[in-house]
Amino acid sequence: MTTTPPTGRSSGGPGAGPPAWRPAARRAMLWSSAAGLLLALAGALVAWTWRDELPAQVASHWSGAGAPDGFSSVGSFLLVGILLAVGLCAVFAAIGWAWGAVASTRRLAAGGCVWSGAFAAAVLLTSLAPQRGLADASEATDPGWALALSLLLPLVPAGLAAALVPGDRRFPSDAPVAAGAARAVLHDGERAAWSRRAAGGPGLAAAGVTILVTTALAVVLETWAMLVVPVLLAGLFAAMFAFTVRVDATGLTVRSVLGWPGTHVPADEVVVASVTEVSPFAEFGGWGWRAGPGGRVGVVLRRGESLLVERTGGRSLVVTVDDAASAAALLNTLADRARAAG
């Protein structure tokens, strides 16, 4: 069982009891959800003040040719926007609340909550603003820039929200690494490091298909603003499917080749490192940087051999990388050294 004495140091293994990260995850999800919903409500309120300037039935959907092909009352349109924000925010908040073991997951979830509310507000405002003063909503034209603005502008408050989430608390351990765990042979004073690149996998192929499909849709529909979608997806997938993995005296560092996302497990927080077999969909629901049940974080690019690092505070990290056995053995040895030094 992991305990946290008054000194702030942690002893023991991955054990039972409420994980130490849960209070931080709950706080982050509560305030970010509130912020996201307030943004959505603010956007809806502004749009509601325009109701006397809008047609009785506003255009709520546009065909690929740019002509409206769906209509609703102002109130119904605003309600759908608010429900969109609630639904998206609920998904992100659930991920952060249940699986926010590390700060990177909590930051992504908090940013997602705020982005959801801002996105809904942007959709409402950019859709209704061009219809002000129209007697018939069928005269409305699809503002090609609306989609780009609705996707991009919310990234600003989302980034701010992510930056406001505190980093992980330190939980160094005094307990020895399990005696039966694999270790590398290092002589006194000898230094060693291990590094590998983890990249590609089935997820990257699926990402490429997704980018091609969204690009083709934008071209076929002649909705050029939609090209922002494959551009954003390309950046996201580049960050999620190529990582450097390094073990050295400081611990384990896993970082995207773009610099973000990334995480670091200090050597004195390693309970034990080992090799495990991973099934991406069964354990993490897909490929890339993933959060799994119980707060487990996965950098999962393929099925098979993976490095499993169980750390203090009820957290664990899984990385699909070649030569995981060497990484685990060296990390256990360096964790022993960190405890001796501490």
Side-chain angles (χ1 to χ4, degrees):
M1 177 176 177
T2 300
T3 59
T4 307
T7 60
R9 298 183 66 83
S10 175
S11 60
W21 53 267
R22 286 210 183 274
R26 290 168 180 166
R27 285 193 299 270
M29 294 310 100
L30 286 173
W31 68 254
S32 61
S33 296
L37 295 179
L38 284 174
L39 284 171
L41 289 172
L45 180 61
V46 170
W48 181 248
T49 64
W50 301 341
R51 63 189 181 280
D52 294 334
E53 305 172 59
L54 295 168
Q57 294 288 304
V58 297
S60 57
H61 188 271
W62 280 262
S63 68
D69 59 359
F71 302 88
S72 69
S73 67
V74 176
S76 296
F77 188 57
L78 297 182
L79 179 61
V80 169
I82 292 173
L83 292 177
L84 172 66
V86 171
L88 289 173
C89 189
V91 171
F92 285 111
I95 291 172
W97 189 290
W99 299 341
V102 298
S104 58
T105 301
R106 298 193 293 272
R107 286 168 177 156
L108 286 169
C113 286
V114 172
W115 182 89
S116 299
F119 171 70
V123 168
L124 293 176
L125 296 175
T126 57
S127 298
L128 294 178
Q131 300 183 57
R132 297 172 69 183
L134 295 179
D136 185 352
S138 62
E139 301 173 5
T141 57
D142 181 14
W145 44 265
L147 176 63
L149 285 179
S150 297
L151 289 170
L152 294 175
L153 288 180
L155 293 176
V156 176
L160 177 60
L164 291 175
V165 176
D168 291 316
R169 288 180 58 192
R170 290 278 288 119
F171 288 103
S173 176
D174 291 320
V177 177
R183 279 157 168 94
V185 178
L186 288 182
H187 301 293
D188 290 343
E190 185 178 6
R191 298 181 180 181
W194 175 97
S195 181
R196 289 289 186 280
R197 175 70 61 87
L204 187 59
V209 171
T210 303
I211 292 171
L212 289 175
V213 169
T214 53
T215 302
L217 282 174
V219 173
V220 170
L221 298 176
E222 295 185 359
T223 308
W224 306 115
M226 274 187 63
L227 289 174
V228 73
V229 175
V231 171
L232 289 175
L233 289 175
L236 174 64
F237 293 144
M240 291 294 176
F241 291 107
F243 291 84
T244 57
V245 186
R246 180 177 174 83
V247 175
D248 57 26
T250 67
L252 171 69
T253 302
V254 181
R255 192 168 304 281
S256 166
V257 293
L258 297 186
W260 179 91
T263 191
H264 177 70
V265 181
D268 59 4
E269 291 188 6
V270 173
V271 173
V272 65
S274 59
V275 177
T276 188
E277 293 289 315
V278 168
S279 175
F281 275 91
E283 297 180 46
F284 292 96
W287 303 288
W289 184 282
R290 314 292 294 186
R296 172 181 283 195
V297 173
V299 180
V300 185
L301 306 184
R302 54 166 171 75
R303 173 188 293 271
E305 179 183 298
S306 307
L307 172 65
L308 168 62
V309 180
E310 297 173 77
R311 60 188 296 195
T312 55
R315 300 163 291 174
S316 63
L317 174 66
V318 174
V319 186
T320 55
V321 65
D322 293 335
D323 195 26
S326 297
L330 179 59
L331 189 56
N332 287 328
T333 298
L334 296 175
D336 285 332
R337 283 189 173 183
R339 285 159 170 74

